[in-house]
Amino acid sequence: MTFSIVGRDAATGDIGVAVASKFLAVGALVPFVRAGVGAVATQSYVNPNFGPDGLRLLAGGLSPQQVSARFQADDSGIAQRQFGIVGAGGQSVTFTGPQCHAWAGGMAGADVAIQGNILTGPEVVPAMHAAWNAAEGQPLPRRLLAALRAGDRAGGDKRGRQSAALLCAGPGRGYGGLTDDWVNLRADDHAEPCAELERLLDTFDLLCGRPAQTRELTAGELSWLRALLIWRGHASSLPDGPWDAATEAAAWALYGTENLEERWVEGGHFDPVALDYLRGHFGG
C-alpha cells in the first residue's frame, strides 16, 4: 500500500529507490539496491524475498523482465503483489497484480520504474514520471526525491502519510569511498514523511557530501580558525603565519568531532560548504 520509484543515473551508474506509504517504516521492507547490479521495490502485501532474490537473479545475468517472469511463476500470492525493477544497464520492468487494491498501476521506461497501489488515482504515477524527467541532471537522490514529492503532492496513498525512505548506491559513493552504499535515509513514523526525508537529505549532503571546489583561507579566516581550534580544545596554542602541520592536525580533529570528515581536504585548502557551516555554527 505504497508508491515508489526505482531509478538509475545513466551517466554515473548510480541506482536507487524512493518510497512513501501510510505504513510504518516502509523503508524496512520495500527498497533493495546493489551498485553494479540493480534495484528492486517490492510492495502490496509485500514479499520481502523479492528484494534479495531479485538482486541475486540480476547479478546472475537475468534481465528485469526475466526476474519479473520468475516472480510471477514462483509466488502463489503474486496476484496481490506489486514491484518495480531496474537493472544496472537501465532495463526496467513494473508489475501490478490484478488483485492489488485500487487505484493500482505503474509505468516503466529506460532507467526508471514507477508504481503504486491504494493511490488517490491514476494521476499520481504520471506526476512522478514528469518530475523525474524534469529533474534530469540532478544527483540521483535528489531526482528520486523530486519524483516522490511530486507523487505525494498529486495525492499519493489515499489513506494518508506515515513513512518514506530513500536508498541509493553507486561506485565508491559510500563513507570514505570504501563501499558503494551511499544514501540510506528513513522517516519511519512522521506526519510529513516526504518533507522529513528532504530535510534528512539536506543534512546528509552537508555532512557526507564531498567538496565540489576548494580554496585557501584568507589571513583573517585562518586567524579565526586558529582561535576556534584553541577554544574547542584541539590545540593549546598555534603559531601565526601560513598554514602549518599543527594547524592541520587540529583542524582535522575539529572536522572529525563535527562529522565533517567527508569534506576534509589536506594542505590548508577548505571546502566552502564546510567553512560556511563552521562559521554559522560557531560564529565568526
Side-chain angles (χ1 to χ4, degrees):
M1 298 70 172
T2 298
F3 58 102
S4 66
I5 175 169
V6 187
R8 169 183 174 265
D9 187 326
T12 64
D14 299 331
I15 197 157
V17 178
V19 57
S21 182
K22 180 65 172 70
F23 186 91
L24 180 69
V26 70
L29 290 174
V30 170
F32 294 83
V33 177
R34 189 187 307 169
V37 173
V40 179
T42 172
Q43 57 200 51
S44 181
Y45 297 98
V46 61
N47 183 338
N49 294 311
F50 281 177
D53 288 351
L55 294 178
R56 176 179 53 81
L57 292 169
L58 290 171
L62 269 63
S63 70
Q65 290 75 17
Q66 290 170 321
V67 174
S68 175
R70 181 76 66 87
F71 287 170
Q72 293 177 59
D74 293 349
D75 183 7
S76 61
I78 194 65
Q80 289 189 301
R81 312 284 195 217
Q82 188 176 53
F83 56 82
I85 306 172
V86 174
Q91 289 181 289
S92 66
V93 67
T94 189
F95 171 84
T96 299
Q99 294 179 21
C100 289
H101 294 299
W103 187 91
M107 61 79 56
D111 299 314
V112 67
I114 300 170
Q115 45 283 316
N117 61 90
I118 311 191
L119 302 183
T120 54
E123 65 279 357
V124 176
V125 168
M128 294 175 69
H129 189 232
W132 166 260
N133 289 335
E136 185 175 2
Q138 292 188 27
L140 180 68
R142 292 289 172 183
R143 195 175 181 191
L144 291 171
L145 185 55
L148 194 71
R149 297 217 66 179
D152 186 55
R153 288 192 298 270
D157 188 326
K158 68 182 180 183
R159 301 167 306 161
R161 302 178 175 94
Q162 188 166 7
S163 67
L166 179 64
L167 184 63
C168 300
R173 291 287 198 179
Y175 180 81
L178 299 174
T179 75
D180 297 332
D181 299 325
W182 186 11
V183 177
N184 188 346
L185 299 174
R186 289 166 40 173
D188 283 346
D189 190 13
H190 198 281
E192 295 289 343
C194 292
E196 174 64 4
L197 201 60
E198 186 164 21
R199 185 193 69 81
L200 291 170
L201 184 57
D202 289 344
T203 303
F204 178 89
D205 284 346
L206 168 66
L207 298 177
C208 299
R210 294 169 185 165
Q213 58 183 336
T214 63
R215 66 173 178 84
E216 293 184 356
L217 299 183
T218 66
E221 289 169 338
L222 182 53
S223 177
W224 168 82
L225 177 65
R226 282 174 167 148
L228 172 63
L229 295 173
I230 293 169
W231 172 51
R232 299 303 297 173
H234 299 300
S236 57
S237 64
L238 291 168
D240 295 329
W243 187 265
D244 66 294
T247 302
E248 175 139 336
W252 168 243
L254 174 67
Y255 267 58
T257 58
E258 292 301 313
N259 299 319
L260 289 169
E261 58 268 25
E262 287 289 89
R263 292 193 172 274
W264 172 254
V265 182
E266 297 179 348
H269 284 258
F270 267 66
D271 171 18
V273 173
L275 182 61
D276 285 348
Y277 168 78
L278 291 172
R279 301 198 75 151
H281 187 61
F282 293 112

